[in-house]
PDB file of all heavy atoms in Angstrom:
ATOM      1  N   VAL R  39     120.711 102.512  89.451  1.00 93.00           N
ATOM      2  CA  VAL R  39     120.102 101.491  88.567  1.00 93.00           C
ATOM      3  C   VAL R  39     119.578 100.331  89.416  1.00 93.00           C
ATOM      4  O   VAL R  39     118.410  99.927  89.248  1.00 93.00           O
ATOM      5  CB  VAL R  39     121.121 101.002  87.493  1.00 93.00           C
ATOM      6  CG1 VAL R  39     120.540  99.814  86.769  1.00 93.00           C
ATOM      7  CG2 VAL R  39     121.420 102.121  86.548  1.00 93.00           C
ATOM      8  N   PRO R  40     120.360  99.786  90.349  1.00 94.00           N
ATOM      9  CA  PRO R  40     119.778  98.681  91.151  1.00 94.00           C
ATOM     10  C   PRO R  40     118.581  99.125  91.976  1.00 94.00           C
ATOM     11  O   PRO R  40     117.626  98.388  92.119  1.00 94.00           O
ATOM     12  CB  PRO R  40     120.900  98.285  92.082  1.00 94.00           C
ATOM     13  CG  PRO R  40     122.156  98.837  91.407  1.00 94.00           C
ATOM     14  CD  PRO R  40     121.761  99.970  90.638  1.00 94.00           C
ATOM     15  N   TYR R  41     118.632 100.317  92.504  1.00 93.00           N
ATOM     16  CA  TYR R  41     117.495 100.859  93.267  1.00 93.00           C
ATOM     17  C   TYR R  41     116.214 100.919  92.442  1.00 93.00           C
ATOM     18  O   TYR R  41     115.144 100.423  92.827  1.00 93.00           O
ATOM     19  CB  TYR R  41     117.804 102.220  93.844  1.00 93.00           C
ATOM     20  CG  TYR R  41     116.655 102.849  94.647  1.00 93.00           C
ATOM     21  CD1 TYR R  41     116.454 102.475  96.000  1.00 93.00           C
ATOM     22  CD2 TYR R  41     115.808 103.747  94.045  1.00 93.00           C
ATOM     23  CE1 TYR R  41     115.414 103.029  96.736  1.00 93.00           C
ATOM     24  CE2 TYR R  41     114.760 104.305  94.826  1.00 93.00           C
ATOM     25  CZ  TYR R  41     114.571 103.934  96.135  1.00 93.00           C
ATOM     26  OH  TYR R  41     113.549 104.459  96.821  1.00 93.00           O
ATOM     27  N   ARG R  42     116.334 101.486  91.267  1.00 93.00           N
ATOM     28  CA  ARG R  42     115.193 101.571  90.361  1.00 93.00           C
ATOM     29  C   ARG R  42     114.638 100.191  89.931  1.00 93.00           C
ATOM     30  O   ARG R  42     113.452  99.969  89.859  1.00 93.00           O
ATOM     31  CB  ARG R  42     115.539 102.326  89.105  1.00 93.00           C
ATOM     32  CG  ARG R  42     115.651 103.836  89.381  1.00 93.00           C
ATOM     33  CD  ARG R  42     115.835 104.616  88.068  1.00 93.00           C
ATOM     34  NE  ARG R  42     116.070 106.007  88.400  1.00 93.00           N
ATOM     35  CZ  ARG R  42     117.214 106.661  88.089  1.00 93.00           C
ATOM     36  NH1 ARG R  42     118.208 106.062  87.453  1.00 93.00           N
ATOM     37  NH2 ARG R  42     117.415 107.895  88.420  1.00 93.00           N
ATOM     38  N   GLU R  43     115.579  99.253  89.706  1.00 95.00           N
ATOM     39  CA  GLU R  43     115.197  97.903  89.345  1.00 95.00           C
ATOM     40  C   GLU R  43     114.404  97.226  90.464  1.00 95.00           C
ATOM     41  O   GLU R  43     113.393  96.565  90.232  1.00 95.00           O
ATOM     42  CB  GLU R  43     116.393  97.038  88.961  1.00 95.00           C
ATOM     43  CG  GLU R  43     117.011  97.452  87.625  1.00 95.00           C
ATOM     44  CD  GLU R  43     118.309  96.685  87.338  1.00 95.00           C
ATOM     45  OE1 GLU R  43     118.836  95.983  88.182  1.00 95.00           O
ATOM     46  OE2 GLU R  43     118.783  96.879  86.200  1.00 95.00           O
ATOM     47  N   ILE R  44     114.859  97.425  91.703  1.00 95.00           N
ATOM     48  CA  ILE R  44     114.118  96.831  92.847  1.00 95.00           C
ATOM     49  C   ILE R  44     112.729  97.437  92.951  1.00 95.00           C
ATOM     50  O   ILE R  44     111.725  96.746  93.094  1.00 95.00           O
ATOM     51  CB  ILE R  44     114.901  97.135  94.167  1.00 95.00           C
ATOM     52  CG1 ILE R  44     116.214  96.252  94.211  1.00 95.00           C
ATOM     53  CG2 ILE R  44     114.050  96.779  95.392  1.00 95.00           C
ATOM     54  CD1 ILE R  44     117.125  96.630  95.344  1.00 95.00           C
ATOM     55  N   ILE R  45     112.620  98.776  92.862  1.00 93.00           N
ATOM     56  CA  ILE R  45     111.295  99.462  92.926  1.00 93.00           C
ATOM     57  C   ILE R  45     110.441  98.990  91.815  1.00 93.00           C
ATOM     58  O   ILE R  45     109.237  98.635  92.077  1.00 93.00           O
ATOM     59  CB  ILE R  45     111.522 100.996  92.852  1.00 93.00           C
ATOM     60  CG1 ILE R  45     112.334 101.500  94.038  1.00 93.00           C
ATOM     61  CG2 ILE R  45     110.176 101.695  92.787  1.00 93.00           C
ATOM     62  CD1 ILE R  45     111.707 101.224  95.399  1.00 93.00           C
ATOM     63  N   LYS R  46     110.884  98.869  90.604  1.00 96.00           N
ATOM     64  CA  LYS R  46     110.101  98.417  89.451  1.00 96.00           C
ATOM     65  C   LYS R  46     109.612  96.964  89.636  1.00 96.00           C
ATOM     66  O   LYS R  46     108.472  96.613  89.365  1.00 96.00           O
ATOM     67  CB  LYS R  46     110.846  98.563  88.128  1.00 96.00           C
ATOM     68  CG  LYS R  46     110.976  99.978  87.658  1.00 96.00           C
ATOM     69  CD  LYS R  46     111.769 100.026  86.335  1.00 96.00           C
ATOM     70  CE  LYS R  46     112.022 101.414  85.900  1.00 96.00           C
ATOM     71  NZ  LYS R  46     112.843 101.441  84.654  1.00 96.00           N
ATOM     72  N   ARG R  47     110.570  96.142  90.054  1.00 96.00           N
ATOM     73  CA  ARG R  47     110.211  94.658  90.213  1.00 96.00           C
ATOM     74  C   ARG R  47     109.142  94.514  91.249  1.00 96.00           C
ATOM     75  O   ARG R  47     108.177  93.781  91.000  1.00 96.00           O
ATOM     76  CB  ARG R  47     111.503  93.923  90.635  1.00 96.00           C
ATOM     77  CG  ARG R  47     111.227  92.426  90.778  1.00 96.00           C
ATOM     78  CD  ARG R  47     112.539  91.591  90.791  1.00 96.00           C
ATOM     79  NE  ARG R  47     113.739  92.274  91.267  1.00 96.00           N
ATOM     80  CZ  ARG R  47     114.077  92.263  92.558  1.00 96.00           C
ATOM     81  NH1 ARG R  47     113.479  91.629  93.447  1.00 96.00           N
ATOM     82  NH2 ARG R  47     115.223  92.888  92.877  1.00 96.00           N
ATOM     83  N   TYR R  48     109.232  95.165  92.390  1.00 95.00           N
ATOM     84  CA  TYR R  48     108.218  95.035  93.456  1.00 95.00           C
ATOM     85  C   TYR R  48     106.925  95.718  93.063  1.00 95.00           C
ATOM     86  O   TYR R  48     105.835  95.299  93.448  1.00 95.00           O
ATOM     87  CB  TYR R  48     108.772  95.496  94.777  1.00 95.00           C
ATOM     88  CG  TYR R  48     109.587  94.390  95.376  1.00 95.00           C
ATOM     89  CD1 TYR R  48     110.975  94.412  95.238  1.00 95.00           C
ATOM     90  CD2 TYR R  48     109.048  93.354  96.093  1.00 95.00           C
ATOM     91  CE1 TYR R  48     111.778  93.424  95.811  1.00 95.00           C
ATOM     92  CE2 TYR R  48     109.813  92.355  96.655  1.00 95.00           C
ATOM     93  CZ  TYR R  48     111.187  92.393  96.487  1.00 95.00           C
ATOM     94  OH  TYR R  48     111.932  91.357  97.048  1.00 95.00           O
ATOM     95  N   ALA R  49     106.957  96.778  92.240  1.00 94.00           N
ATOM     96  CA  ALA R  49     105.757  97.400  91.792  1.00 94.00           C
ATOM     97  C   ALA R  49     104.948  96.430  90.903  1.00 94.00           C
ATOM     98  O   ALA R  49     103.747  96.337  90.955  1.00 94.00           O
ATOM     99  CB  ALA R  49     106.020  98.718  91.019  1.00 94.00           C
ATOM    100  N   THR R  50     105.737  95.692  90.036  1.00 95.00           N
ATOM    101  CA  THR R  50     105.094  94.685  89.197  1.00 95.00           C
ATOM    102  C   THR R  50     104.503  93.571  90.028  1.00 95.00           C
ATOM    103  O   THR R  50     103.389  93.182  89.813  1.00 95.00           O
ATOM    104  CB  THR R  50     106.142  94.120  88.180  1.00 95.00           C
ATOM    105  OG1 THR R  50     106.680  95.146  87.424  1.00 95.00           O
ATOM    106  CG2 THR R  50     105.590  93.070  87.295  1.00 95.00           C
ATOM    107  N   GLN R  75     110.422  92.055 102.066  1.00 96.00           N
ATOM    108  CA  GLN R  75     111.457  91.615 101.132  1.00 96.00           C
ATOM    109  C   GLN R  75     112.063  92.816 100.386  1.00 96.00           C
ATOM    110  O   GLN R  75     113.311  92.900 100.225  1.00 96.00           O
ATOM    111  CB  GLN R  75     110.921  90.589 100.166  1.00 96.00           C
ATOM    112  CG  GLN R  75     110.602  89.206 100.771  1.00 96.00           C
ATOM    113  CD  GLN R  75     109.978  88.298  99.765  1.00 96.00           C
ATOM    114  OE1 GLN R  75     109.415  88.702  98.752  1.00 96.00           O
ATOM    115  NE2 GLN R  75     110.009  86.996 100.085  1.00 96.00           N
ATOM    116  N   ARG R  76     111.207  93.687  99.977  1.00 95.00           N
ATOM    117  CA  ARG R  76     111.679  94.900  99.210  1.00 95.00           C
ATOM    118  C   ARG R  76     112.509  95.749 100.188  1.00 95.00           C
ATOM    119  O   ARG R  76     113.633  96.225  99.786  1.00 95.00           O
ATOM    120  CB  ARG R  76     110.499  95.706  98.713  1.00 95.00           C
ATOM    121  CG  ARG R  76     110.907  96.969  97.947  1.00 95.00           C
ATOM    122  CD  ARG R  76     109.789  97.871  97.556  1.00 95.00           C
ATOM    123  NE  ARG R  76     109.183  98.438  98.726  1.00 95.00           N
ATOM    124  CZ  ARG R  76     108.135  99.264  98.708  1.00 95.00           C
ATOM    125  NH1 ARG R  76     107.513  99.503  97.569  1.00 95.00           N
ATOM    126  NH2 ARG R  76     107.677  99.758  99.848  1.00 95.00           N
ATOM    127  N   GLU R  77     112.059  95.918 101.381  1.00 94.00           N
ATOM    128  CA  GLU R  77     112.799  96.742 102.349  1.00 94.00           C
ATOM    129  C   GLU R  77     114.189  96.088 102.674  1.00 94.00           C
ATOM    130  O   GLU R  77     115.192  96.827 102.715  1.00 94.00           O
ATOM    131  CB  GLU R  77     112.028  96.888 103.621  1.00 94.00           C
ATOM    132  CG  GLU R  77     112.668  97.913 104.588  1.00 94.00           C
ATOM    133  CD  GLU R  77     111.736  98.217 105.740  1.00 94.00           C
ATOM    134  OE1 GLU R  77     110.812  99.015 105.566  1.00 94.00           O
ATOM    135  OE2 GLU R  77     112.002  97.642 106.837  1.00 94.00           O
ATOM    136  N   ALA R  78     114.238  94.799 102.754  1.00 96.00           N
ATOM    137  CA  ALA R  78     115.532  94.141 103.030  1.00 96.00           C
ATOM    138  C   ALA R  78     116.481  94.262 101.863  1.00 96.00           C
ATOM    139  O   ALA R  78     117.731  94.592 102.054  1.00 96.00           O
ATOM    140  CB  ALA R  78     115.292  92.659 103.284  1.00 96.00           C
ATOM    141  N   GLU R  79     116.001  94.209 100.625  1.00 95.00           N
ATOM    142  CA  GLU R  79     116.864  94.405  99.450  1.00 95.00           C
ATOM    143  C   GLU R  79     117.369  95.817  99.416  1.00 95.00           C
ATOM    144  O   GLU R  79     118.542  96.064  99.089  1.00 95.00           O
ATOM    145  CB  GLU R  79     116.077  94.040  98.151  1.00 95.00           C
ATOM    146  CG  GLU R  79     115.953  92.592  97.919  1.00 95.00           C
ATOM    147  CD  GLU R  79     115.424  92.290  96.520  1.00 95.00           C
ATOM    148  OE1 GLU R  79     115.902  92.878  95.575  1.00 95.00           O
ATOM    149  OE2 GLU R  79     114.487  91.479  96.459  1.00 95.00           O
ATOM    150  N   ILE R  80     116.472  96.795  99.648  1.00 95.00           N
ATOM    151  CA  ILE R  80     116.850  98.210  99.615  1.00 95.00           C
ATOM    152  C   ILE R  80     117.852  98.465 100.689  1.00 95.00           C
ATOM    153  O   ILE R  80     118.856  99.162 100.495  1.00 95.00           O
ATOM    154  CB  ILE R  80     115.640  99.095  99.671  1.00 95.00           C
ATOM    155  CG1 ILE R  80     114.906  98.954  98.323  1.00 95.00           C
ATOM    156  CG2 ILE R  80     116.032 100.539  99.925  1.00 95.00           C
ATOM    157  CD1 ILE R  80     113.563  99.703  98.256  1.00 95.00           C
ATOM    158  N   LYS R  81     117.667  97.942 101.916  1.00 95.00           N
ATOM    159  CA  LYS R  81     118.506  98.185 103.042  1.00 95.00           C
ATOM    160  C   LYS R  81     119.915  97.691 102.749  1.00 95.00           C
ATOM    161  O   LYS R  81     120.883  98.338 103.131  1.00 95.00           O
ATOM    162  CB  LYS R  81     117.971  97.547 104.279  1.00 95.00           C
ATOM    163  CG  LYS R  81     118.772  97.824 105.530  1.00 95.00           C
ATOM    164  CD  LYS R  81     118.156  97.228 106.783  1.00 95.00           C
ATOM    165  CE  LYS R  81     118.947  97.585 107.974  1.00 95.00           C
ATOM    166  NZ  LYS R  81     118.346  97.079 109.212  1.00 95.00           N
ATOM    167  N   SER R  82     120.023  96.581 102.034  1.00 95.00           N
ATOM    168  CA  SER R  82     121.342  95.966 101.780  1.00 95.00           C
ATOM    169  C   SER R  82     122.177  96.866 100.816  1.00 95.00           C
ATOM    170  O   SER R  82     123.369  96.694 100.785  1.00 95.00           O
ATOM    171  CB  SER R  82     121.166  94.545 101.202  1.00 95.00           C
ATOM    172  OG  SER R  82     120.621  94.578  99.898  1.00 95.00           O
ATOM    173  N   MET R  83     121.518  97.724 100.059  1.00 93.00           N
ATOM    174  CA  MET R  83     122.293  98.495  99.085  1.00 93.00           C
ATOM    175  C   MET R  83     122.487  99.919  99.487  1.00 93.00           C
ATOM    176  O   MET R  83     123.259 100.625  98.879  1.00 93.00           O
ATOM    177  CB  MET R  83     121.616  98.421  97.710  1.00 93.00           C
ATOM    178  CG  MET R  83     120.242  99.031  97.700  1.00 93.00           C
ATOM    179  SD  MET R  83     119.639  99.370  96.041  1.00 93.00           S
ATOM    180  CE  MET R  83     120.738 100.602  95.498  1.00 93.00           C
TER     181      MET R  83
END
Side-chain angles (χ1 to χ4, degrees):
V39 171
Y41 179 81
R42 287 187 187 117
E43 288 174 353
I44 291 170
I45 298 300
K46 285 180 186 178
R47 182 165 26 92
Y48 280 95
T50 301
Q75 289 174 341
R76 180 184 70 182
E77 188 171 281
E79 283 188 47
I80 289 174
K81 184 177 184 177
S82 71
M83 63 165 295

